């Protein structure tokens, strides 16, 4: 839940800086990465719930793989946003720290399934 809250807050903060168009009329490509971190963080909880509810190990592993993929993509998009020109990127280390804690919990959780 902390990851969802942080990603939404960071995305809102970044969108204020990144939503302005460049002088040539093009938009900032980093604005899409800010939306991606929200979408990926929101998708984590349902995948965890599906893995917990699955009766067969094949389906559990499918959802576990999805959670791993989402955390990988989330981490990758955080790295991309660290290169953007915004003051909001100062909050990305907080999200990265929460993601690191989540990965440790994820490893333990995977072993218990």
């Amino acid at each position: 839940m902390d990851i969802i809250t942080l990603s939404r807050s960071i995305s809102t903060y970044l969108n204020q800086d990144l939503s302005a168009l460049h002088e040539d009329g093009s938009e900032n490509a980093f604005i899409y990465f800010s939306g991606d971190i929200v979408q990926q963080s929101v998708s984590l909880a349902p995948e965890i719930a599906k893995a917990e509810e699955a009766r067969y190990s094949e389906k559990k592993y499918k959802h576990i793989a999805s959670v791993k993929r989402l955390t990988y993509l989330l981490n990758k998009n955080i790295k991309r946003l660290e290169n953007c020109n915004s003051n909001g990127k100062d909050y990305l280390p907080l999200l990265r720290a929460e993601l690191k804690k989540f990965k440790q919990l994820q490893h333990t959780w995977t072993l218990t399934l």
Side-chain angles (χ1 to χ4, degrees), residues 86-112:
S86 172
N87 292 333
K89 69 181 181 179
D90 297 338
Y91 297 106
L92 291 170
L94 295 172
L95 183 56
R96 186 182 292 278
E98 284 298 320
L99 193 60
K100 186 176 179 179
K101 289 178 196 174
F102 177 75
K103 281 183 169 182
Q104 292 171 346
L105 292 172
Q106 175 187 357
H107 178 71
T108 306
W109 168 74
T110 303
L111 293 175
T112 62

Side-chain angles (χ1 to χ4, degrees), residues 14-23 25-29 31:
L14 287 173
N15 280 340
Q16 293 173 1
D17 291 341
L18 301 176
S19 63
L21 295 177
H22 294 291
E23 291 179 12
S26 63
E27 59 189 5
N28 194 328
I31 197 161

Side-chain angles (χ1 to χ4, degrees), residues 23-37:
E23 291 179 12
D24 63 354
S26 63
E27 59 189 5
N28 194 328
F30 290 110
I31 197 161
Y32 296 109
F33 299 133
S34 66
D36 288 346
I37 64 169

Side-chain angles (χ1 to χ4, degrees), residues 1-83:
M1 294 310 290
D2 290 339
I3 292 173
I4 294 170
T5 305
L6 276 172
S7 64
R8 283 184 178 163
S9 299
I10 291 170
S11 179
T12 302
Y13 193 80
L14 287 173
N15 280 340
Q16 293 173 1
D17 291 341
L18 301 176
S19 63
L21 295 177
H22 294 291
E23 291 179 12
D24 63 354
S26 63
E27 59 189 5
N28 194 328
F30 290 110
I31 197 161
Y32 296 109
F33 299 133
S34 66
D36 288 346
I37 64 169
V38 173
Q39 186 271 331
Q40 291 156 356
S41 63
V42 169
S43 297
L44 281 174
E47 286 299 322
I48 292 170
K50 287 176 187 176
E52 290 281 336
E53 295 171 357
R55 292 182 184 214
Y56 303 107
S57 62
E58 288 179 19
K59 289 193 176 196
K60 284 185 187 218
Y61 290 121
K62 176 185 158 193
H63 295 296
I64 290 170
S66 181
V67 169
K68 287 181 181 180
R69 183 180 54 81
L70 285 168
T71 53
Y72 170 76
L73 291 172
L74 188 56
N75 200 20
K76 188 175 176 181
N77 285 324
I78 290 170
K79 285 181 185 178
R80 289 177 177 162
L81 284 171
E82 287 175 344
N83 296 324

